[in-house]
Amino acid sequence: MKRVKLEKKVLSENDSIAARLRAKFHERRILCLNLISSPGSGKTTLLERTLEGFEPGERVGVLTGDIQTDNDAARLRRYKFPVKQITTGGTCHLDAGMIERALADFPIDNVDVLFIENVGNLVCPASYDLGEAAKIVLLSVAEGDEKPLKYPGIFFKSALMVLTKLDLLPHVPFDLAKAEKNARRINPEIEIRRVSCATGEGLREWREWIEKRREQVRQEGLASVI
Amino acid sequence: MKRVKLEKKVLSENDSIAARLRAKFHERRILCLNLISSPGSGKTTLLERTLEGFEPGERVGVLTGDIQTDNDAARLRRYKFPVKQITTGGTCHLDAGMIERALADFPIDNVDVLFIENVGNLVCPASYDLGEAAKIVLLSVAEGDEKPLKYPGIFFKSALMVLTKLDLLPHVPFDLAKAEKNARRINPEIEIRRVSCATGEGLREWREWIEKRREQVRQEGLASVI
């Protein structure tokens, strides 16, 4: 019982920092998106293709979380937008405090879309509000179409599911319709996009999803998206 | 600081139960193997192919962990060996207490190889000793060859890395030699097997790995494996 109580305390501390972050994002009209998935579902690759699609000088930035290494930041920096690595040193998720500390020396004034790439983990990051406008869950077709039922927390909390690695479909036993049905059983409101970063399929629709929310935030603030 | 202290307390409680389990496994000459990976790396499929390879009546059993659903147990029961689902209801890993409770009505006397399929999570399960003889980490070639560096904890603690979904190699950017080098940078002692459950490649070598340890445990007890 003590453990549950302490967990609640940690989460409530997290929530107050997240509320502070959300107020800041709202005030500055920043669309913050929190990308969550298993290791190897293609978060970094999707971000590479996404950054590639923005014109130089666009107001876009990334905070990328990993337990160890700064490989991901190195990959993402090639696109010349502000990128900062958060190395958690063992912790299995990002929390709001890590985001607040990372933003202290991040050029937030030059950004109106902020991507957060969470630690690769389909479970724990779902419990931590980072002040984002929306959580986005990625699911690669190599992982299996039953995953939304087995890891319901993150599918319940996400505004969007991005099915990735669509090019592998001919080689794996993955039923797209079943995966989407399973996700909607957990979260009837969830939106869905299908992409392949290898062939480019679906990237336009994914970018349109972002641009639509970005425009909403610009005009009406965060509340219109959450 | 309080949080760290409590985490230590939880882990030390876990360790005493794990020690009890290990003593029990040693006494009964049971080889217990704890399989850990990301969601969708193919733990259940590998176990299906493994159970299929055992003769009817062989002394083999499985405890399979999931956050929700008992899909995995349903899949594994078809092979007619004792299988029990542990549904964690949100918890991101199995702990020793869950194993002890599951064994209370499991026919442990009819088993001398016990597989534990952990929750799909490459991070948290690494911290929880379940009294196993060895942790085994699975990494699918769809996930990326840099994963041992990004999630070092589990690669450091595992006796064996099984590279899965080898049949996908022609379709994904995965360098086998690099993945193995990365795993050995974290854990120079780690053994490695490569399998494809789709084609059957490598399954014989994986079964031989198990049989060798089973024989050691039969003859000399657990200490010879750990």
Side-chain angles (χ1 to χ4, degrees), chain A residues 54-116:
Chain A
F54 284 105
E55 297 292 320
E58 275 263 36
R59 298 169 50 79
V60 180
V62 183
L63 302 178
T64 180
D66 270 303
I67 291 179
Q68 288 297 344
T69 81
D70 58 359
N71 296 356
D72 287 356
R75 280 170 63 184
L76 294 168
R77 272 196 200 104
R78 288 181 295 190
Y79 302 91
K80 312 286 181 202
F81 299 105
V83 171
K84 183 159 186 180
Q85 180 80 45
I86 303 175
T87 304
T88 68
T91 303
C92 53
H93 58 270
L94 294 177
D95 66 34
M98 295 175 195
I99 302 299
E100 197 171 54
R101 285 191 295 281
L103 290 180
D105 61 351
F106 188 86
I108 191 77
D109 290 333
N110 304 332
V111 162
D112 55 38
V113 182
L114 177 65
F115 295 100
I116 299 177

Side-chain angles (χ1 to χ4, degrees), chain A residues 100-151:
Chain A
E100 197 171 54
R101 285 191 295 281
L103 290 180
D105 61 351
F106 188 86
I108 191 77
D109 290 333
N110 304 332
V111 162
D112 55 38
V113 182
L114 177 65
F115 295 100
I116 299 177
E117 180 183 0
N118 221 306
V119 173
N121 184 332
L122 207 47
V123 190
C124 316
S127 302
Y128 289 82
D129 184 1
L130 306 181
E132 71 276 338
K135 288 185 172 63
I136 297 175
V137 60
L138 276 68
L139 176 64
S140 122
V141 304
E143 288 173 62
D145 46 42
E146 84 293 11
K147 292 297 175 286
L149 303 181
K150 293 174 77 175
Y151 303 88

Side-chain angles (χ1 to χ4, degrees), chain A residues 2-3 6 9-10 38-41 43-44 66-69 71-72 75 90-93 95 117-124 128 140 142-144 146-147 149-152 165 167-168 171-172, chain B residues 2-3 6 9-10 38-41 43-44 66-69 71-72 75 90-93 95 117-124 128 140 142-144 146-147 149-152 165 167-168 171-172:
Chain A
K2 223 175 176 178
R3 194 175 164 190
L6 201 97
K9 190 161 173 279
V10 168
S38 305
S41 301
K43 292 182 294 303
T44 315
D66 270 303
I67 291 179
Q68 288 297 344
T69 81
N71 296 356
D72 287 356
R75 280 170 63 184
T91 303
C92 53
H93 58 270
D95 66 34
E117 180 183 0
N118 221 306
V119 173
N121 184 332
L122 207 47
V123 190
C124 316
Y128 289 82
S140 122
E143 288 173 62
E146 84 293 11
K147 292 297 175 286
L149 303 181
K150 293 174 77 175
Y151 303 88
K165 307 196 187 185
D167 51 290
L168 292 181
H171 314 294
V172 293
Chain B
K2 226 180 178 175
R3 194 176 163 189
L6 201 96
K9 188 159 174 281
V10 168
S38 305
S41 301
K43 292 183 293 304
T44 315
D66 269 305
I67 291 180
Q68 289 297 343
T69 81
N71 297 356
D72 287 356
R75 281 171 62 185
T91 302
C92 53
H93 58 269
D95 65 35
E117 180 183 0
N118 221 306
V119 173
N121 184 332
L122 206 48
V123 190
C124 315
Y128 290 82
S140 121
E143 289 173 61
E146 84 292 12
K147 292 298 175 285
L149 303 181
K150 292 174 77 176
Y151 303 89
K165 307 195 186 185
D167 51 291
L168 292 181
H171 314 294
V172 293

